[in-house]
Amino acid sequence: VARNETTLSEIELLKTALLPHLTALGVASVTVCFAGYGDSGSIEEVIYLDASNAKMPCPDAMIEIEGRNEISLSSAIEELAYSALELHHPGWEINDGAHGELLIDIAKASVQLDCNLHYTAYDSHSTEL
């Protein structure tokens, strides 16, 4: 429980730090795509969109997070994604794994985690003839 509270606090700190910076840099939304299986997972792509929904490069910016040293904007976004996955879907990268997106909507000041957990299923039948 204490670990979950710490992770939740970290997520809130990251959101509080990120949203104003993204607004100031002209970013309208960020989509963080992730995938993993077999005990390995990673962020595959991070897409930044401006107000006209055009792709833009990741702004080269450093941000300050309360109580920590400055980190790059891209590192803070990745940290937010991994923290959200750890909190809501621990083990998302294990066995059959998962894939999905973390969606940051700047205008709505919202962050949404969409995670698709993979699993193997089978249907067994035994018939005596």
Side-chain angles (χ1 to χ4, degrees):
V1 174
R3 184 174 182 185
N4 284 351
E5 289 174 7
T6 301
T7 303
L8 188 55
S9 294
E10 182 67 16
I11 289 170
E12 289 305 316
L13 284 174
L14 288 163
K15 284 172 41 179
T16 299
L18 279 168
L19 291 171
H21 283 304
L22 291 167
T23 300
L25 294 165
V27 179
S29 68
V30 180
T31 302
V32 181
C33 306
F34 60 88
Y37 66 94
D39 299 340
S40 178
S42 65
I43 291 174
E44 303 289 312
E45 181 179 24
V46 180
I47 302 165
Y48 297 83
L49 299 177
D50 64 19
S52 65
N53 278 336
K55 279 189 176 180
M56 60 186 288
C58 173
D60 184 21
M62 299 295 286
I63 67 169
E64 188 174 318
I65 298 170
E66 184 181 315
R68 295 175 41 185
N69 292 332
E70 283 190 334
I71 63 172
S72 70
L73 177 71
S74 61
S75 293
I77 287 174
E78 286 189 10
E79 196 173 312
L80 176 61
Y82 284 126
S83 293
L85 283 164
E86 178 184 325
L87 180 64
H88 296 287
H89 301 286
W92 63 275
E93 76 287 7
I94 296 173
N95 298 326
D96 290 347
H99 76 279
E101 299 175 333
L102 180 83
L103 309 163
I104 304 171
D105 185 322
I106 310 312
K108 293 180 182 176
S110 69
V111 179
Q112 178 176 318
L113 176 62
D114 293 334
C115 185
N116 303 285
L117 300 173
H118 305 166
Y119 63 93
T120 301
Y122 60 90
D123 191 6
S124 296
H125 301 270
S126 177
T127 305
E128 186 175 327
L129 303 174

